[in-house]
Amino acid sequence: MITFDNVTKKYKGMSVPALDRVSFTVDAGAICGVVGLSGAGKSTLIRCMTGLERVDSGTISIGGVSISALTGAELRQAQRNLGVVFQHFNLLSQRTALQNVMFPLEVAGVARNEARDRARELLDIVGLGDKLNSYPSKLSGGQQQRVGIARALATSPKVLLCDEFTSALDPINSKSILELIMRLNADLGVTVLIVTHQLSIAEQSCDRLIVIDEGQIVENGPAKDVLESPKSRILRAMVTTLTWS
Amino acid sequence: MLIRLIWSALLETLLMVGAAGAVSIVLGVLVGAGLVFFSDPALGRNWPVNRYLRLDQVLSAIVNVGRSLPFLVLMVAIIPFTRMIAGTSIGTKAAIVPLTLGAIPFAARVVENSLREVDRGVVEAALVMGASPGQVVFKVMFPEALPSLVLGFTLTLVSLVNFSAMAGAVGGGGLGDLAIRYGYQRFRTDVMAATVAVLIVLVQLMQWGGQALSSTVDRRR
């Protein structure tokens, strides 16, 4: 469902590439974790995958569509196959929960009534059926992230990309948001890629685990195996230090 | 007598500020949006024309020219242009032309600043959701910046009250003109005091109204 084929990305003025010949695949319906420390290349991986940055070489495809080769209207069309959940929620502060979830449908040209019905249904699924007309400022962090998840699912994407989605939440809310993602994966069959520096998140939810360090993949395998016998210097360090928090 | 003088001067000021404010806000929105749109790599920075001619830099240079002229100089310098537009270079209606021209660059910078304050994460989120650059500007940036824009327009209108006081130099009338001609040149202290009082009340009301409107449209708290 997600394929990275030899992806390299180097920023102007940097001596080493942010992503260095990265290749991996994620099967449809899986939950895959990408872990690494700050500066390892996680953010670049997300920015390339979402089309915010162009790759220098290699291809990224999502659901068979090579997103890294597209620009303009074709790229915008392809982006609707990918829902993104953000660390800081990134909700529109001047729109209600319902209007926020309607946003991706509006820009896709879906009729207003249809968009409203779909948004209502999604907010019901994430447990916010009674907060349709609340503005983000009146919602808790956990509730805002639920709106973010509903919004990410609005265009019925095949892939849900979760970018440090629990880092801004307390442990209780983190857990319930993670459980929601796992339930959505089971119920809707959406493929999930969780990018995080928190090993505990990956351990609780992921079938597969990829570890990146200095722009390269250093581990890639079933999550259980990778965590039981970490081979890379970086994962050993993460396992034995504070990143379990 | 005093009341009638002040009343008609107030109406002239309101006409000048209202007309110049309306036109300069509309054009300021367009220019300000252009400044942001053409300078942002995620929006219009990479438009084909921008490869040969940086539209944002051209707009910015024009805005800077407008901002660098003292209003009194601008007003006199563009008299031929004013005559072309208004048919005359003297009077309240003629004064609206330089007032508008002076306020457009101001409003454009106000709009630019407000749009740039919009959270980058929200802009990128919209792009990732498949919003086009135009949709990002009109469906994300302007609505998100609305409370700040309202305050910026209030600032623009208050500045116009200030500029309009100089319109007396071209026979534009208004409260500033009244204060100079009666209050100062004819030693009418009562007119001077009354004019100052009316100007203070006017600006207070405008500022109060702008702030009230801004908080009404602000959903962030």
Side-chain angles (χ1 to χ4, degrees):
Chain A
M1 181 55 67
I2 307 169
T3 309
F4 271 61
D5 184 16
N6 225 8
V7 173
T8 296
K9 169 74 187 177
K10 190 163 164 285
Y11 290 107
K12 262 185 215 153
M14 303 291 277
S15 53
V16 289
L19 288 181
D20 190 3
R21 290 160 292 163
V22 168
S23 297
F24 66 89
T25 60
V26 179
D27 296 334
I31 300 184
C32 175
V34 175
V35 299
L37 299 178
S38 305
K42 301 193 300 289
S43 300
T44 305
L45 186 140
I46 291 165
R47 295 182 68 82
C48 290
M49 196 172 156
T50 54
L52 285 175
E53 296 281 351
R54 316 282 309 157
V55 300
D56 295 337
S57 61
T59 52
I60 302 170
S61 54
I62 291 167
V65 179
S66 170
I67 199 163
S68 58
L70 303 176
T71 55
E74 285 179 328
L75 173 62
R76 291 195 283 277
Q77 188 62 43
Q79 281 167 326
R80 284 164 200 150
N81 275 326
L82 177 69
V84 186
V85 181
F86 302 92
Q87 178 176 4
H88 298 295
F89 325 134
N90 293 345
L91 299 178
L92 294 155
S93 61
Q94 296 284 96
R95 282 175 170 241
T96 62
L98 188 72
Q99 291 166 337
N100 263 286
V101 180
M102 287 169 69
F103 180 84
L105 298 166
E106 273 175 46
V107 300
V110 174
R112 214 167 177 71
N113 283 337
E114 206 179 313
R116 192 179 292 119
D117 291 346
R118 171 91 181 129
R120 271 209 194 97
E121 180 192 338
L122 283 163
L123 283 166
D124 244 356
I125 291 175
V126 300
L128 287 178
D130 57 339
K131 300 281 183 193
L132 300 181
N133 297 317
S134 300
Y135 286 93
S137 59
K138 299 280 182 275
L139 298 172
S140 71
Q143 290 171 329
Q144 288 188 50
Q145 193 58 296
R146 284 170 190 272
V147 177
I149 291 168
R151 181 177 70 172
L153 292 170
T155 52
S156 311
K158 295 175 191 145
V159 173
L160 195 60
L161 174 59
C162 304
D163 174 13
E164 301 281 8
F165 67 122
T166 58
S167 299
L169 300 175
D170 61 59
I172 308 281
N173 268 309
S174 285
K175 190 157 187 297
S176 79
I177 292 288
L178 186 62
E179 283 165 0
L180 172 63
I181 297 281
M182 291 167 75
R183 178 161 64 85
L184 292 168
N185 167 260
D187 293 354
L188 310 173
V190 63
T191 309
V192 178
L193 190 72
I194 293 177
V195 179
T196 180
H197 65 269
Q198 292 174 296
L199 276 184
S200 57
I201 295 292
E203 194 227 359
Q204 285 170 56
S205 60
C206 297
D207 320 314
R208 280 270 311 286
L209 194 61
I210 292 169
V211 181
I212 58 173
D213 184 30
E214 294 177 344
Q216 293 181 320
I217 293 186
V218 291
E219 309 229 17
N220 179 1
K224 212 161 156 283
D225 301 356
V226 170
L227 286 169
E228 265 172 16
S229 52
K231 292 178 188 62
S232 63
R233 180 184 57 83
I234 198 73
L235 186 58
R236 275 204 295 267
M238 286 176 87
V239 168
T240 53
T241 54
L242 301 168
T243 46
W244 285 89
S245 63
Chain B
M1 177 61 189
L2 178 62
I3 299 220
R4 196 168 298 157
L5 270 179
I6 291 198
W7 178 247
S8 69
L10 177 63
L11 288 183
E12 284 165 355
T13 292
L14 291 179
L15 175 65
M16 286 190 285
V17 171
V23 178
S24 60
I25 285 172
V26 169
L27 293 178
V29 161
L30 292 177
V31 176
L35 282 167
V36 171
F37 184 82
F38 288 112
S39 67
D40 191 330
L43 304 177
R45 167 74 179 81
N46 297 319
W47 266 31
V49 275
N50 249 13
R51 251 173 255 154
Y52 309 101
L53 182 73
R54 286 287 299 274
L55 289 178
D56 55 315
Q57 290 175 356
V58 172
L59 279 177
S60 185
I62 295 170
V63 165
N64 285 344
V65 169
R67 298 268 287 127
S68 56
L69 295 184
F71 182 67
L72 200 61
V73 177
L74 174 86
M75 197 163 54
V76 177
I78 64 156
I79 281 177
F81 177 73
T82 302
R83 198 172 284 135
M84 208 170 77
I85 301 282
T88 168
S89 61
I90 295 169
T92 306
K93 277 180 193 149
I96 291 171
V97 177
L99 281 172
T100 306
L101 220 58
I104 291 169
F106 188 92
R109 287 293 182 210
V110 158
V111 171
E112 183 195 12
N113 286 345
S114 291
L115 296 184
R116 284 196 198 284
E117 273 167 28
V118 173
D119 184 356
R120 194 69 201 164
V122 173
V123 169
E124 291 194 337
L127 286 166
V128 163
M129 285 185 276
S132 68
Q135 285 172 326
V136 168
V137 172
F138 292 107
K139 286 177 104 62
V140 178
M141 287 181 143
F142 272 107
E144 286 292 292
L146 190 60
S148 159
L149 284 168
V150 170
L151 288 181
F153 295 149
T154 307
L155 187 68
T156 307
L157 292 175
V158 169
S159 295
L160 272 170
V161 173
N162 183 1
F163 288 163
S164 75
M166 283 180 257
V170 292
L175 288 164
D177 187 39
L178 182 71
I180 296 293
R181 282 194 296 124
Y182 283 73
Y184 180 62
Q185 289 165 352
R186 298 185 196 179
F187 304 104
R188 287 282 302 270
T189 313
D190 58 332
V191 178
M192 183 61 99
T195 313
V196 169
V198 170
L199 278 170
I200 290 173
V201 171
L202 178 63
V203 170
Q204 298 284 359
L205 283 178
M206 287 166 68
Q207 192 62 38
W208 174 81
Q211 276 167 353
L213 185 59
S214 175
S215 14
T216 308
V217 299
D218 193 348
R219 311 295 185 192
R220 289 171 299 185
R221 58 208 151 108

